Amino acid sequence: MSGRLLGKIAIVTGAASGVGESVARLFVREGAKVLMTDLNQADGVRIAAEIGATFVRHDVTDPAGWQQVVNTAIETFGQLDILVNNAGILIAGDIETASYDDWKRLMTVNADSVFLGCKAAIAVMKKQGGAIVNMSSIAALAAKEDYVGYSASKGAVAALTRAIAADCRLKRYRIRCNSVHPDGILTPMTRATYPKGIDPEMLTIDQDPMNRACRPEDVANGVLYLVSDEARAVNGIELRIDSGQFVMSI
Ligand SMILES: NC(=O)c1ccc[n+]([C@@H]2O[C@H](COP(=O)([O-])OP(=O)(O)OC[C@H]3O[C@@H](n4cnc5c(N)ncnc54)[C@H](O)[C@@H]3O)[C@@H](O)[C@H]2O)c1
């Protein structure tokens, strides 16, 4: 541990799996007290016990739940310095095949949740400052024709992040807000999209221009930088973590 987050209190959503789990593990190693949240209570409780974090079951689409989570952070740890809005879902569909119900579900889980989380956190962070990271995607920046609803929801996250960064700066809140844009990270979410019989590990390595698979830890390291004091002048940016997939597609 190098203590880059020593004394900081962090909420990480979607922390029972994939990128969120990796962020929670790294934050604890760097000295933060972490409140992990997820719908998946079994894995959340297990991981929190293993790493020395606190777990609260929370549906990020529930406005009242957000108030409870922020209250728990304040009551348990006395303050809130960091929020990572990471929880999300992926539903495939192009403009002809995607259903309106899937569209609404994607917007609610991926975008509304970020609005609710930022609103609840900023209400307390505005007194002492803080750092927010919102998990977007390369799908917000480049075309993913077979993921129209997902792309739109992640585009909303990116635009919301910029608006919050500007708003907090204007109000001199000392709250920074940045978005992270991963692609091709090997997690349960993406493994499920590979055809049967294909080893996603090998497929990703073959397709990766840098000949290496993206890992949840690669994203966690970027998130750590953005919430640390080393990034004190970094606000409203879109950090791509994709092994260069984006520049290969334009
Ligand atoms: N894996 C990738 O390549 C990739 C690429 C771009 C963006 N992302 C984004 O990164 C984030 C993490 O994805 P991941 O790949 O680790 O996926 P994952 O499926 O492994 O983890 C997502 C977690 O979010 C939780 N979750 C889902 N809906 C929730 C809700 N309503 N309330 C609370 N928790 C909920 C799930 O239970 C799960 O633990 C997501 O926002 C995803 O869109 C991932």
Side-chain angles (χ1 to χ4, degrees), residues 127-172:
K127 294 176 201 113
Q128 94 278 340
I132 298 173
V133 168
N134 296 327
M135 202 55 68
S136 181
S137 168
I138 286 301
L141 309 174
K144 292 259 189 204
E145 75 288 348
D146 45 351
Y147 289 99
V148 280
Y150 181 76
S151 301
S153 70
K154 293 300 186 178
V157 171
L160 175 62
T161 302
R162 289 192 296 272
I164 290 171
D167 185 17
C168 290
R169 187 176 190 276
L170 199 65
K171 292 173 178 160
R172 296 176 180 270

Side-chain angles (χ1 to χ4, degrees), residues 16-227:
S17 173
V19 171
E21 174 184 346
S22 199
V23 168
R25 286 179 182 277
L26 182 59
F27 279 15
V28 169
R29 282 206 303 277
E30 291 295 333
K33 294 204 163 49
V34 177
L35 186 60
M36 300 169 50
T37 83
D38 207 294
L39 279 178
N40 178 349
Q41 176 142 6
D43 287 334
V45 167
R46 175 182 55 78
I47 295 162
E50 188 194 321
I51 67 176
T54 303
F55 177 81
V56 173
R57 188 179 185 280
H58 169 224
D59 182 339
V60 288
T61 67
D62 173 19
W66 266 111
Q67 206 47 62
Q68 282 166 12
V69 166
V70 169
N71 288 347
T72 302
I74 302 296
E75 283 158 16
T76 312
F77 304 115
Q79 65 194 57
L80 176 62
D81 305 290
I82 295 165
L83 169 64
V84 181
N85 280 309
N86 165 78
I89 55 169
L90 178 70
I91 306 174
D94 64 29
I95 190 59
E96 294 183 282
T97 58
S99 73
Y100 187 38
D101 281 346
D102 285 349
W103 166 273
K104 285 188 284 191
R105 184 75 193 140
L106 282 160
M107 294 306 281
T108 306
V109 177
N110 291 354
D112 293 8
S113 66
V114 176
F115 168 81
L116 294 170
C118 290
K119 202 173 176 58
I122 288 168
V124 298
M125 282 181 176
K126 67 183 185 182
K127 294 176 201 113
Q128 94 278 340
I132 298 173
V133 168
N134 296 327
M135 202 55 68
S136 181
S137 168
I138 286 301
L141 309 174
K144 292 259 189 204
E145 75 288 348
D146 45 351
Y147 289 99
V148 280
Y150 181 76
S151 301
S153 70
K154 293 300 186 178
V157 171
L160 175 62
T161 302
R162 289 192 296 272
I164 290 171
D167 185 17
C168 290
R169 187 176 190 276
L170 199 65
K171 292 173 178 160
R172 296 176 180 270
Y173 280 169
R174 294 185 298 119
I175 300 171
R176 299 181 295 104
C177 189
N178 295 293
S179 57
V180 168
H181 300 253
D183 187 56
I185 318 297
L186 284 176
T187 66
M189 177 186 280
T190 46
R191 281 176 201 275
T193 65
Y194 290 111
K196 277 202 167 56
I198 300 267
D199 177 358
E201 201 93 17
M202 293 314 297
L203 189 68
T204 306
I205 290 166
D206 287 349
Q207 289 178 341
D208 186 331
M210 292 168 73
N211 200 27
R212 59 183 282 274
C214 292
R215 305 277 166 194
E217 297 77 27
D218 297 322
V219 182
N221 281 316
V223 175
L224 170 63
Y225 167 67
L226 289 175
V227 303

